[in-house]
Amino acid sequence: MRMARMALVVLGAAAVAYGCLLAWPEAARMVPWLVAGPVLHDAVLAPVVAAAGLLVARSLPAPARWWVRAGLVMTATLLLLAVPLVLRPGATVAPEPGLSHLALTRLAWWLAVLWAVVSVAARWSASRPRVRAARAEDHQAERRRQ
């Protein structure tokens, strides 16, 4: 077992060294992104997500909160993946005409579909406790009769 671990450590170190070797020519372009990413996350994204979570927690009924929070997380993920691809900072090849418009349209469409599903699920979820509460009251009334 110890030999297997050592072999995996050596293979992993070799893979990291090879990746660093390949990335070395692009190091000057990568450093700003590697520094700015965590700084922007901690200074901008984390407080915005925390404020949105607090707003959701205080303004929505408990059963709907999960759905809205999940929708917010999926929206943030879609935006984090799509915006750099659409804006293409530092791209050396110009995009095809209309490409960014098409990409933004698709992003907006997917966000609309996502929030339609979240809205339906949250409303359905918020209506469920009333049904459960009514069933529980009926069950308690039935027990009292016995």
Side-chain angles (χ1 to χ4, degrees), residues 65-79:
R65 288 180 198 155
W66 187 92
W67 291 102
V68 174
R69 286 178 183 159
L72 288 171
V73 167
M74 287 185 265
T75 298
T77 303
L78 280 172
L79 290 175

Side-chain angles (χ1 to χ4, degrees), residues 27-131:
R29 285 183 18 172
M30 291 185 335
V31 169
W33 286 99
L34 292 174
V35 172
V39 170
L40 285 175
H41 176 272
D42 292 347
V44 177
L45 189 62
V48 168
V49 169
L54 187 61
L55 182 66
V56 166
R58 292 187 178 190
S59 63
L60 292 176
R65 288 180 198 155
W66 187 92
W67 291 102
V68 174
R69 286 178 183 159
L72 288 171
V73 167
M74 287 185 265
T75 298
T77 303
L78 280 172
L79 290 175
L80 284 172
L81 291 175
V83 168
L85 293 175
V86 170
L87 297 180
R88 299 178 53 154
T92 56
V93 178
E96 294 179 26
L99 181 63
S100 62
H101 175 67
L102 180 62
L104 287 174
T105 304
R106 286 182 181 163
L107 175 63
W109 186 83
W110 279 111
L111 288 174
V113 168
L114 169 69
W115 283 101
V117 170
V118 167
S119 175
V120 168
R123 289 178 191 203
W124 175 78
S125 176
S127 69
R128 294 288 293 166
R130 294 183 202 136
V131 173

